[in-house]
Amino acid sequence: MFVQEEKIFAGKVLKIHICTMDGTEWLEEVTEDTTVEKLKERCLKHHVHGNLEDPKTLTHHKLIHAATERVLTDTKTIADENLKDKDVLLLIKKRPPPTPPKMADVSSDEKKKQDTKAPDKDAILKATASLRFQTELRKILVSLIEVAQKLLALNPDAVELFKKANAMLDEDEEDRVDESALQQLTEMGFPESRAIKALRLCHMSVTQAMEWLIEHVDDPTVDAPLPGQDSSGASGDGAATTTGPPASASASSSRQDELTEIFKRIRRKREFRPDSRAVIALMEMGFDEKEVIDALRVNNNQQDAACEWLLGDRKPSPEDLDKGIDTNSPLFQAILENPVVQLGLTNPKTLLAFEDMLENPLNSTQWMNDPETGPVMLQISRIFQTLNRT
């Protein structure tokens, strides 16, 4: 009797058409007072063959009214949702919520944001300090050379000191070959004289020297000495024997004339030597040899930079390279007031180092590591950095 009363008061029975994403379809009979959650549970039991092992399965699915594309609310009844007989419902698994980021990921994202943030003025100055120093160094050296020449001209022993320093540098120039690099090339079968020439042309780069040797294997002038090597000795000896004070000239003027002649010889010997490979490559693009050499001189023998210079506004010009720094500027005054720099300017080797770095910037590292010229270069760099920060 109780069951019959339950059936009487149960409400209208509806047949609902259930569909799943994998194509399964069936009918579920429910009364109007059945909750959507209860219907969903019955659907899942039917779909997984009567077992709901994971209690979260129920909350991970939803029922959608196909005709209106409306998601049914679990707590409402069939009647509340206004479902009709033969309505179609879709049983769909909910999309999982996005996983919250871990602390490590959060800090990583923050770091990325900081990395992509535009740099401030201090960061820009710090990043470009080295570049600005290289740009200003040439101007500083030009002005320091003028000061050093005047100071050395006052030294009665300047001529002899320069002759000794110059001779010492000549020996260094002749012996300045990387032994390990030379050994690598000779072990490949290249003659030692050619290997030495190739290494000097390619700034001691084994790879570039090997390429140069292969390219010039049939060149009839491959064994010809480098410019300056066949004439430097002769010109040096000639200058040494022919230069001298006239009998009627004073000792002071003769010493000045001899120093001037020595300075000229130094400049001839230390003149800029363009990278032969870069010269050929740029001339093949249609540029004139003189403008190619100017471009390489302005851009420290860097082929790509020289090409951009030739194609651009050609600034700075070769003439700009010979301009010094303002001698009244705080930077130059601070350099001249430094005791280490003052002492270094009285050393002929320092002047020779300045001259060499002007025309061969790649040799700067060598002079920075020299026990006599290194401290001077270090002080110049420190003064520049200090004034640059302020």
Coordinates of all heavy atoms in Angstrom, one line a residue, residues 34 81 88 97 103 124 132 138 150 157 164 192 199 207 226 239 246 250 265 281 286 296 307 315 324 330 361 371:
T34 N 12.6 14.9 -9.7 CA 14.0 14.4 -9.6 C 15.0 15.5 -9.8 O 14.8 16.4 -10.7 CB 14.3 13.3 -10.7 OG1 13.3 12.3 -10.6 CG2 15.7 12.7 -10.6
E81 N 13.8 23.0 -14.2 CA 14.5 23.3 -15.4 C 13.6 23.3 -16.7 O 14.1 23.5 -17.8 CB 15.6 22.2 -15.6 CG 16.8 22.4 -14.6 CD 17.7 23.6 -14.9 OE1 17.4 24.4 -15.8 OE2 18.6 23.8 -14.1
V88 N 16.3 16.3 -25.3 CA 17.6 15.7 -25.5 C 18.6 16.5 -24.5 O 18.7 17.7 -24.6 CB 18.1 15.8 -26.9 CG1 19.5 15.2 -27.0 CG2 17.2 15.1 -27.9
P97 N 39.9 23.1 -14.4 CA 40.3 24.5 -14.1 C 41.8 24.6 -14.3 O 42.6 23.7 -14.2 CB 39.9 24.8 -12.7 CG 39.9 23.4 -12.0 CD 39.4 22.5 -13.1
M103 N 55.1 28.7 -7.1 CA 55.9 29.9 -6.7 C 57.1 30.1 -7.6 O 57.4 31.2 -7.9 CB 56.3 29.7 -5.2 CG 55.2 29.8 -4.2 SD 54.2 31.3 -4.4 CE 55.5 32.5 -3.9
I124 N 71.8 51.9 -19.2 CA 72.3 52.3 -20.5 C 73.8 52.8 -20.4 O 74.6 52.4 -21.2 CB 71.4 53.3 -21.2 CG1 70.0 52.7 -21.5 CG2 72.1 53.8 -22.5 CD1 69.0 53.7 -22.0
R132 N 82.0 53.6 -25.2 CA 82.4 55.1 -25.1 C 83.9 55.2 -24.8 O 84.5 56.2 -25.4 CB 81.6 55.8 -24.1 CG 80.1 55.9 -24.5 CD 79.4 57.0 -23.6 NE 79.6 56.8 -22.2 CZ 78.8 55.9 -21.5 NH1 77.9 55.2 -22.1 NH2 79.0 55.7 -20.2
R138 N 91.0 56.9 -28.5 CA 91.8 57.4 -29.6 C 92.1 58.9 -29.4 O 93.3 59.4 -29.6 CB 91.2 57.1 -30.9 CG 92.0 57.5 -32.1 CD 91.4 57.2 -33.4 NE 92.4 57.5 -34.5 CZ 93.3 56.7 -34.9 NH1 93.4 55.5 -34.4 NH2 94.1 57.1 -35.9
K150 N 106.6 66.6 -26.3 CA 107.2 67.8 -25.8 C 108.0 67.5 -24.5 O 109.1 68.1 -24.3 CB 106.1 68.8 -25.4 CG 105.4 69.3 -26.6 CD 104.2 70.2 -26.2 CE 103.4 70.7 -27.4 NZ 102.3 71.5 -27.1
D157 N 118.8 62.8 -23.0 CA 119.1 61.5 -23.4 C 118.0 60.9 -24.2 O 117.9 59.7 -24.5 CB 119.4 60.5 -22.2 CG 120.5 61.0 -21.4 OD1 121.5 61.5 -22.0 OD2 120.5 60.9 -20.1
K164 N 117.1 53.0 -28.4 CA 117.1 51.7 -27.7 C 115.6 51.1 -27.7 O 115.4 49.9 -27.9 CB 117.6 51.9 -26.3 CG 119.1 52.2 -26.2 CD 119.5 52.4 -24.8 CE 121.0 52.7 -24.7 NZ 121.5 53.0 -23.3
E192 N 107.5 27.3 -43.2 CA 107.5 28.1 -42.0 C 107.5 29.6 -42.3 O 106.7 30.4 -41.7 CB 108.8 27.9 -41.2 CG 108.9 28.6 -39.9 CD 110.1 28.3 -39.0 OE1 110.6 27.2 -39.1 OE2 110.5 29.1 -38.2
L199 N 100.2 34.2 -40.5 CA 99.8 34.5 -39.1 C 99.9 36.0 -38.8 O 99.0 36.6 -38.1 CB 100.7 33.8 -38.1 CG 100.4 32.3 -38.0 CD1 101.5 31.6 -37.2 CD2 99.1 32.0 -37.4
T207 N 93.0 29.6 -38.1 CA 92.0 29.3 -39.2 C 92.1 30.2 -40.4 O 92.1 29.8 -41.5 CB 90.6 29.4 -38.6 OG1 90.5 28.5 -37.4 CG2 89.5 29.0 -39.6
L226 N 106.4 41.1 -46.1 CA 105.3 42.0 -45.8 C 105.8 43.5 -46.0 O 107.0 43.7 -45.8 CB 104.8 41.9 -44.4 CG 104.0 40.6 -44.1 CD1 103.7 40.5 -42.6 CD2 102.7 40.6 -44.9
A239 N 118.4 56.0 -41.9 CA 118.0 57.2 -41.1 C 119.0 57.4 -39.9 O 119.3 58.5 -39.6 CB 116.6 57.0 -40.5
P246 N 123.6 69.4 -38.0 CA 124.6 70.1 -38.8 C 125.6 70.7 -37.8 O 125.3 71.0 -36.7 CB 123.8 71.2 -39.5 CG 122.3 70.8 -39.4 CD 122.2 70.0 -38.1
S250 N 122.7 74.4 -33.2 CA 122.9 74.2 -31.8 C 122.6 72.8 -31.3 O 121.9 72.1 -32.1 CB 122.0 75.2 -31.0 OG 120.7 74.9 -31.2
R265 N 109.9 58.2 -38.5 CA 110.2 56.8 -38.8 C 109.3 55.8 -38.0 O 108.9 54.8 -38.5 CB 111.7 56.5 -38.4 CG 112.7 57.1 -39.4 CD 114.1 57.1 -38.8 NE 114.5 55.9 -38.1 CZ 115.4 55.8 -37.2 NH1 116.1 56.9 -36.8 NH2 115.7 54.6 -36.6
A281 N 87.8 41.6 -50.4 CA 86.3 41.4 -50.3 C 85.6 42.6 -50.6 O 84.6 42.6 -51.3 CB 86.0 40.8 -49.0
G286 N 82.9 46.6 -55.5 CA 82.9 47.8 -56.3 C 83.5 49.0 -55.7 O 83.5 50.1 -56.4
L296 N 88.4 50.6 -43.4 CA 89.0 49.6 -42.5 C 89.8 50.3 -41.4 O 89.8 49.9 -40.2 CB 89.9 48.7 -43.2 CG 89.2 47.7 -44.2 CD1 90.2 46.9 -45.0 CD2 88.4 46.7 -43.4
C307 N 82.1 47.9 -44.2 CA 81.1 47.9 -45.3 C 79.9 48.8 -44.9 O 79.4 49.6 -45.8 CB 80.6 46.4 -45.5 SG 79.4 46.3 -46.8
K315 N 80.8 58.5 -41.4 CA 81.2 59.2 -40.2 C 81.6 58.2 -39.1 O 80.9 57.2 -38.9 CB 80.0 60.1 -39.7 CG 79.5 61.2 -40.6 CD 80.4 62.4 -40.5 CE 80.0 63.5 -41.5 NZ 78.7 64.1 -41.1
G324 N 92.4 65.3 -31.5 CA 92.6 64.9 -30.0 C 91.4 65.4 -29.2 O 90.5 66.0 -29.7
P330 N 87.9 68.5 -18.2 CA 88.2 67.9 -16.9 C 88.8 66.5 -17.0 O 89.7 66.1 -16.2 CB 86.8 67.8 -16.2 CG 86.0 68.8 -16.9 CD 86.5 68.9 -18.3
P361 N 94.6 49.1 -33.2 CA 93.9 49.0 -31.9 C 93.9 47.5 -31.4 O 93.7 47.4 -30.2 CB 92.5 49.4 -32.3 CG 92.6 50.3 -33.5 CD 93.8 49.7 -34.2
P371 N 104.5 45.5 -18.5 CA 104.7 46.0 -17.2 C 105.0 47.5 -17.1 O 104.8 48.1 -16.1 CB 105.9 45.2 -16.7 CG 106.6 44.6 -18.0 CD 105.4 44.4 -18.9

